[in-house]
Amino acid sequence: LTRGDLVFAANNIFNTFGGVFATNAGAVPYVAQNGTLVPTIARPNAPRQFQVTYTVPFGASAASAPHVNLASAVNAEGGPGSGGGGRGGRFGFNLTPLPATPPSDPFAMTASQICTADAQKTITPVLDQLKAFVAKIEASKTANG
């Protein structure tokens, strides 16, 4: 569309195995090694759902904002694309590949507009607890995992 994007999405179009509650009706039991049947719970599909979304750009730079969707977010080489976003444009996202090696300190904080010095002071005790928990798990590992 000229002024925006219209998306029509449908889930479980034929309402196959649709239901709201998980029950044992229609469940397939597990068979134990000795032949005993172990009852299970059937998790039904969500009932038929339809969703219509119309997205329009807004703000001063809306006319020049790039259009972003999942197909165009990754360029031909498979790397990250340039998403829209920012002030006055369409909201978008960037797909970034996972790094080849893990970070040296996964709990390190970087000062940014979102992660201010005050926010870092607030979250530091939580990160310290997470670091201690991870260290405890890593210390209990054996050669077999």
Side-chain angles (χ1 to χ4, degrees):
L1 298 171
T2 304
R3 302 196 189 282
D5 298 322
L6 179 66
V7 176
F8 179 77
N11 292 328
N12 199 6
I13 296 171
F14 302 111
N15 207 27
T16 306
F17 302 114
V20 180
F21 301 105
T23 68
N24 59 356
V28 178
Y30 295 121
V31 179
Q33 189 173 8
N34 64 359
T36 304
L37 296 179
V38 179
T40 60
I41 299 294
R43 296 176 189 233
N45 291 330
R48 180 181 303 134
Q49 297 175 359
F50 298 101
Q51 180 178 353
V52 178
T53 306
Y54 185 64
T55 307
V56 293
F58 60 92
S61 63
S64 64
H67 174 69
V68 176
N69 62 31
L70 185 58
S72 65
V74 177
N75 62 21
E77 291 82 32
S82 60
R87 298 176 62 94
R90 293 182 188 203
F91 291 102
F93 56 89
N94 290 330
L95 296 176
T96 55
L98 292 174
T101 58
S104 59
D105 184 6
F107 296 109
M109 292 183 281
T110 305
S112 67
Q113 188 176 9
I114 296 171
C115 191
T116 62
D118 290 336
Q120 288 183 8
K121 289 178 190 173
T122 303
I123 199 67
T124 298
V126 175
L127 290 177
D128 290 342
Q129 289 177 356
L130 282 173
K131 287 178 188 177
F133 179 72
V134 169
K136 186 176 180 180
I137 296 291
E138 291 293 327
S140 67
K141 285 186 177 178
T142 65
N144 296 330

